[in-house]
Amino acid sequence: MTVIAAVGGKGGISKSTLSRALAVELARSGLEVHLADLDVDQGSQVDWHRDRLGAGLAPTPPVQLYPNVTAALALATHVDVLLLDGPARASRDTLTLARAADLVVLPAGASMDDLRPLVRVAHSLVKAGIPRERLICALSRISTEAEAEAARGYISEAGYRVATGYLPERASYRQAQNAGRTVTEVSAPTLRAAAETVVQSIIDSIPE
């Protein structure tokens, strides 16, 4: 079983957005995928899963709310990929998530309020023994190419790799997810291609 964990230094950085897109695209490739929602206070992935089932969309990988990483690892057996969508903010569980994962996804926006917490979390994980090559950052909610380049440069200078491309700041992505879809299923071809680029870059980073 391959384990992918999405973690963040703060909320609102597209962690859940990327998790559900990864789950759907990996399932579309024929893998058996399970998405573990570890944010017991919000349970947004469970709500999204219900919307997706109601819309009759496929594939719809199973989603379940878990109280902690240990429970998710114990119950989500016999799957090809387990996606761990961590709590909205960095916590003591962040290191536990990273230690359980083959790949750790750290999303961030373009502001320093997003980038500084991301780098701090990444530094803390590496200091605790998580291999640097196991981490990949992903840019989201980006308004301009200049913002993307500046954010990419900041993360790269800190010593971390960044997924190819970025998710632009667009209402269409929110509307798609409100209807149970993912950002890779948005109707606008340009926005769909942008999301597919980021998600595929993360998929390509999964260790063999």
Side-chain angles (χ1 to χ4, degrees):
M1 178 174 67
T2 298
V3 179
I4 303 171
V7 303
K10 56 176 288 186
I13 52 170
S14 301
K15 179 178 55 60
S16 294
T17 293
L18 288 171
S19 295
R20 60 186 60 153
L22 283 165
V24 167
E25 294 309 316
L26 287 166
R28 200 185 304 281
S29 71
L31 296 171
E32 188 171 352
V33 181
H34 186 88
L35 177 54
D37 188 347
L38 298 172
D39 194 340
V40 294
D41 292 328
Q42 299 293 331
S44 59
Q45 297 292 34
V46 173
D47 291 336
W48 167 80
H49 182 253
R50 188 179 299 113
D51 292 337
R52 189 170 179 84
L53 286 173
L57 298 169
T60 301
V63 177
Q64 187 169 336
L65 191 64
Y66 292 94
N68 52 57
V69 180
T70 302
L73 292 170
L75 294 177
T77 56
H78 308 299
V79 297
D80 298 312
V81 181
L82 174 62
L83 275 156
L84 302 170
D85 184 14
R89 298 181 183 276
S91 68
R92 288 175 297 178
D93 293 332
T94 300
L95 179 56
T96 305
L97 281 165
R99 284 177 171 153
D102 300 291
L103 182 69
V104 180
V105 181
L106 298 113
S111 75
M112 296 308 295
D113 285 341
D114 292 338
L115 294 169
R116 286 180 180 131
L118 175 141
V119 169
R120 281 197 291 267
V121 169
H123 283 342
S124 69
L125 293 178
V126 170
K127 185 177 180 180
I130 303 300
R132 191 178 293 263
E133 60 271 18
R134 201 184 295 176
L135 310 179
I136 184 166
C137 305
L139 298 177
S140 67
R141 307 187 71 175
I142 303 295
S143 297
T144 66
E145 290 284 347
E147 272 195 339
E149 286 307 308
R152 188 177 299 277
Y154 182 88
I155 296 169
S156 298
E157 188 174 337
Y160 301 101
R161 60 178 170 163
V162 187
T164 304
Y166 60 87
L167 295 182
E169 175 64 81
R170 294 290 187 276
S172 297
Y173 285 143
R174 293 189 291 275
Q175 293 163 1
Q177 294 184 96
N178 288 343
R181 297 181 182 274
T182 74
V183 290
T184 55
E185 297 170 319
V186 69
S187 57
T190 302
L191 295 181
R192 185 169 63 250
E196 288 172 345
T197 296
V198 177
V199 171
Q200 188 59 53
S201 179
I202 295 172
I203 291 173
D204 290 343
S205 300
I206 299 172
E208 304 213 353

